[in-house]
Amino acid sequence: MTDAGRDTAPDRDEDARPRLPQLRLDELLEELQARIDAARGTRDRVHSLLEAVLSVGRELDLEQALHSIVEAAAALVDARYAALGVIGPDGTRLSAFHTVGVSDEEIARIGHYPEGHGILGELIRHPEPLRIPKLSDHPASYGFPPHHPPMNTFLGVPIRVRDQVFGNLYLTEKRGGQQFDEEDESVLSTLAVAAGVAIDNARLYEESRLRERWLQANAEITHGLMSGSERGTALLLVAERAREITGASLAVVAVPMAGTDSLTVELAVGQDAATHRGLVVPVEGSLLGRAFAGAAPVTSRDIGHDERVFQGPQSFTGLGPAVAVPIGSGDGVRGILLLVRAGGGHVFTDKEIEPLRGFAAQAAVAMELAERRQDAEQIAVLEDRDRIARDLHDLAIQRLFATGMTLQSAGRFIDHKEASERVLRAVDDLDETIKIIRSTIFGLRSRASTGGAGTGLRARVVRLVGEAAPLLGFAPSVRMEGLIDTHVSKEAADHLVAVLSEALTNVARHAGASRVQVALETDGREVRLTVTDDGVGLPPGGRRSGLRNMAERAGQLGGAFDVTGTPGAGTTLVWRVPVGEQ
């Protein structure tokens, strides 16, 4: 019994000893596997982070870089929705918004992108990482606009570029209904650092490309100037290149009118350019005038609603931010270059305006060279006229006079009465010819002293419109097109000024208008004056004596006159005549 007990007891102990360590070993193996899985997950996440950093760093186009950052952020923290908000120049709101997870159709239904209020504004005011388990519970939350997808969990981190906050990453709705944790925050903060470097690189690349484009444009204009391009061609090239490089929808060049306090739009390219060409804008109180008088750039956030924009027939529909840059500097400002971006575009910054000022100086050079060429050509013409006048006086007249004296002397020796009378008539003809030549000489020598600054038809029309403003209670808009001072004869110009004066007087006395538009155009064959108001219109069957006078003036010059108006809908007056002979 005792031996049997001794034989069987050790067997039971040997069976029990290996079972307890085996259970402990299984637990250790499970824990080790869990740690291996965690390490593998961490490794995979670090690998994904490195891939994201490399992917973001490869982009040199700023817009594409921003989109890559948003996509990488959403993938790293497994978020359904991601966005990158770019902080505007004022530092208080978002100027751009890049999203992932929301379709274009959903964006269209939601409406305008957020500007940085509510939760999004928290990161702008306090640029530190922010995690929120439920958005609606946060004090800064005030809900979402209609059609916005539901969002609860939130993680946001700022993106800094050289110690300046560029924008913020916003992540919502972690997949699987989970919360964003500290590891998500750490990973996203690391990506934000890499994103800041990528954005800085993209900005530097963009700036270098922009400087290259400005240099190429400057070289193109310089080549044109050196090759003798005309003033209008050079200015057109300046306007087109400035519009292309700055991404503007409209470019306008306005120059001062001699003898007036107004600017006239010499050329316009881009959206609704035709409504701006020839427009006359007062210097005082206008956006263009402020840049001209101050010899410094003037910006506008929204030109369509800027009170400094002169009211006229020009159209700014669909346009927004604008900048007016002086052509030249100090007392040598020769005009204004106006650039206007599409509505919703970003405001012109100092970094953009600075190279633009240098580029506008090229336009000043173009105008200076063109004026010098014109002066040289004018001097050559005047010298040629003086030479012709001198030759006519010293050679032609003297010869004719001598010939006349000879014929007159010879006439006394002619006995035949009819022949003698013919010789005397020839002498009289020579006298008349001498008078004609002397008149021509006088005209050649006095032509340079006529038509001084401020005496042209353009200046007369602008002054007349300015004088009518106090009577009307507002300043009429003026638009002029064509070589008005060159083509229109003095007689036609005098009649036109009289007709315009009568038309503006009629509007002031009878129309009760709040707006008047004056358009003066010539194609080299006829000159056309159009005056439009928004007043009470013509009375039924009524034509005033002033209108008859206008029609008679047109008839005297072989032109036509027409006036149309509807009671309560305003009046349009069109007066056109041949330009006549200068």
Side-chain angles (χ1 to χ4, degrees), residues 65-411:
L66 296 179
H67 188 71
S68 297
I69 291 168
V70 179
E71 288 183 330
L76 283 174
V77 299
D78 203 21
R80 183 175 180 183
Y81 305 108
L84 192 158
V86 180
I87 299 176
D90 59 3
T92 62
R93 58 181 180 177
L94 301 177
S95 62
F97 210 70
H98 302 264
T99 62
V100 167
V102 183
S103 67
D104 293 338
E105 292 76 12
E106 289 176 309
I107 293 173
R109 288 198 299 269
I110 294 170
H112 195 275
Y113 281 120
E115 296 183 353
H117 305 293
I119 298 295
L120 304 187
E122 281 292 303
L123 276 171
I124 297 176
R125 294 185 291 271
H126 309 288
E128 298 293 338
L130 178 63
R131 275 188 294 132
I132 303 174
K134 191 173 180 62
L135 279 171
S136 58
D137 293 340
H138 195 278
S141 176
Y142 58 81
F144 296 102
H147 309 295
H148 196 285
M151 295 181 181
N152 292 296
T153 55
F154 175 87
L155 172 60
V157 296
I159 297 176
R160 288 181 170 84
V161 177
R162 298 188 182 186
D163 297 327
Q164 182 180 2
V165 179
F166 171 83
N168 298 305
L169 277 171
Y170 308 109
L171 288 302
T172 60
E173 291 301 290
K174 187 175 178 68
R175 297 185 187 276
Q178 300 180 27
Q179 295 289 331
F180 293 109
D181 54 25
E182 291 183 3
E183 188 176 345
D184 292 329
E185 182 180 318
S186 177
V187 168
L188 202 59
S189 296
T190 303
L191 178 66
V193 173
V197 175
I199 291 169
D200 193 29
N201 289 338
R203 274 179 162 181
L204 292 174
Y205 178 72
E206 191 175 73
E207 289 174 5
S208 67
R209 289 190 62 190
L210 188 61
R211 281 194 297 270
E212 183 181 356
R213 293 184 68 187
W214 281 122
L215 289 173
Q216 289 176 347
N218 281 327
E220 185 179 1
I221 293 168
T222 301
H223 176 74
L225 293 175
M226 298 302 292
S227 62
S229 295
E230 295 183 356
R231 176 177 182 272
T233 302
L235 287 181
L236 180 61
L237 185 59
V238 168
E240 287 179 338
R241 293 297 175 268
R243 184 172 71 94
E244 291 170 3
I245 295 174
T246 60
S249 297
L250 172 68
V252 168
V253 175
V255 297
M257 292 185 63
T260 70
D261 292 327
S262 301
L263 301 169
T264 181
V265 176
E266 183 165 324
L267 63 89
V269 291
Q271 181 175 324
D272 294 326
T275 65
H276 298 267
R277 296 190 188 107
L279 187 69
V280 178
V281 180
V283 170
E284 185 177 357
S286 67
L287 180 70
L288 295 177
R290 183 169 296 185
F292 180 80
V298 177
T299 60
S300 173
R301 299 189 68 89
D302 185 0
I303 195 169
H305 298 86
D306 196 319
E307 60 183 11
R308 298 170 298 178
V309 174
F310 181 69
Q311 297 299 319
Q314 77 271 31
S315 172
F316 291 110
T317 304
L319 298 176
V323 61
V325 181
I327 299 174
S329 59
D331 296 332
V333 177
R334 297 177 173 274
I336 298 296
L337 172 62
L338 175 69
L339 296 170
V340 189
R341 286 188 171 126
H346 64 273
V347 178
F348 285 89
T349 63
D350 292 339
K351 284 187 177 181
E352 292 178 299
I353 295 174
E354 193 57 36
L356 190 56
R357 295 186 69 175
F359 188 67
Q362 289 283 51
V365 174
M367 298 173 77
E368 178 76 18
L369 286 178
E371 289 174 5
R372 293 294 173 264
R373 288 196 189 101
Q374 187 176 7
D375 290 343
E377 292 172 359
Q378 184 68 17
I379 289 172
V381 170
L382 294 177
E383 288 178 347
D384 199 37
R385 286 177 177 171
D386 283 341
R387 181 187 60 76
I388 294 171
R390 187 169 56 252
D391 290 347
L392 286 174
H393 182 272
D394 296 342
L395 300 176
I397 287 182
Q398 298 304 326
R399 287 195 172 212
L400 289 173
F401 188 75
T403 303
M405 293 290 291
T406 300
L407 289 174
Q408 194 173 18
S409 298

Side-chain angles (χ1 to χ4, degrees), residues 409-467:
S409 298
R412 292 195 298 268
F413 299 101
I414 299 175
D415 296 330
H416 194 282
K417 183 178 180 182
E418 185 176 348
S420 177
E421 289 177 351
R422 287 186 178 182
V423 169
L424 291 176
R425 283 199 300 271
V427 171
D428 291 339
D429 289 340
L430 286 173
D431 287 339
E432 289 298 321
T433 302
I434 290 171
K435 290 179 182 179
I436 292 171
I437 294 176
R438 281 177 172 167
S439 176
T440 302
I441 293 172
F442 177 78
L444 287 171
R445 288 178 171 172
S446 63
R447 184 72 62 87
S449 62
T450 61
T455 61
L457 179 56
R458 284 178 176 267
R460 293 173 68 186
V461 168
V462 172
R463 281 199 299 270
L464 182 59
V465 170
E467 292 168 358

